[in-house]
Amino acid sequence: MRITSLAHVALYTKDLEKSLAFYEKLGGRCYTRASSEKSSGVNLLAMVRLAGFDLELIQPGDGTEIRPVEGAWPHVALEVERIEETVAELREAGVDTFSTEVPNELPNLFGGIRNIFFFGPDGEKIELIEHL
């Protein structure tokens, strides 16, 4: 087996344009769009390059209900520098779904981290993490 890298992470969304705008606020850049015809409808797709990985946004064309649930993939974490500045920039850009007002200080976790969680437009949980 020769796995060489992470290709992308896929995320269902209710509204592709709203999700694209949200991930662009985080510094992402949409680099391609497509559609995939299914027997139940046409899925709209977009690939977003964000912080060194690709995020595939999928808007199902069959009216599938999008429900975030805690499961095997409970959140996506984005490494940042200067977490307070990053949070301030995101708030200024309109992100207002942070779970706490200030980042958590966890000096004994993973060699010391600071983190904060927030939610995307479809309830996806996102962590900003700064290693100390």
Side-chain angles (χ1 to χ4, degrees), residues 3-96:
I3 297 172
T4 60
S5 67
L6 175 67
H8 67 268
V9 174
L11 175 71
Y12 281 122
T13 178
K14 296 175 201 167
D15 182 332
L16 185 66
E17 298 307 318
K18 184 176 179 180
S19 288
L20 277 171
F22 177 81
Y23 285 100
E24 286 173 351
K25 287 178 188 177
L26 300 183
R29 181 183 59 78
C30 178
Y31 66 90
T32 191
R33 292 176 180 243
S35 60
S36 174
E37 191 155 342
K38 307 283 184 181
S39 60
S40 57
V42 176
N43 287 355
L44 301 178
L45 312 168
M47 293 296 282
V48 176
R49 178 112 346 112
L50 173 66
F53 76 95
D54 290 342
L55 178 63
E56 178 185 15
L57 299 174
I58 305 167
Q59 180 180 319
D62 64 359
T64 298
E65 182 180 359
I66 309 302
R67 296 180 311 145
V69 291
E70 290 283 331
W73 299 86
H75 68 273
V76 172
L78 303 173
E79 182 90 30
V80 300
E81 296 176 348
R82 298 183 299 277
I83 196 167
E84 284 92 356
E85 291 176 30
T86 303
V87 169
E89 290 169 0
L90 290 174
R91 284 191 168 126
E92 189 173 303
V95 176
D96 62 357

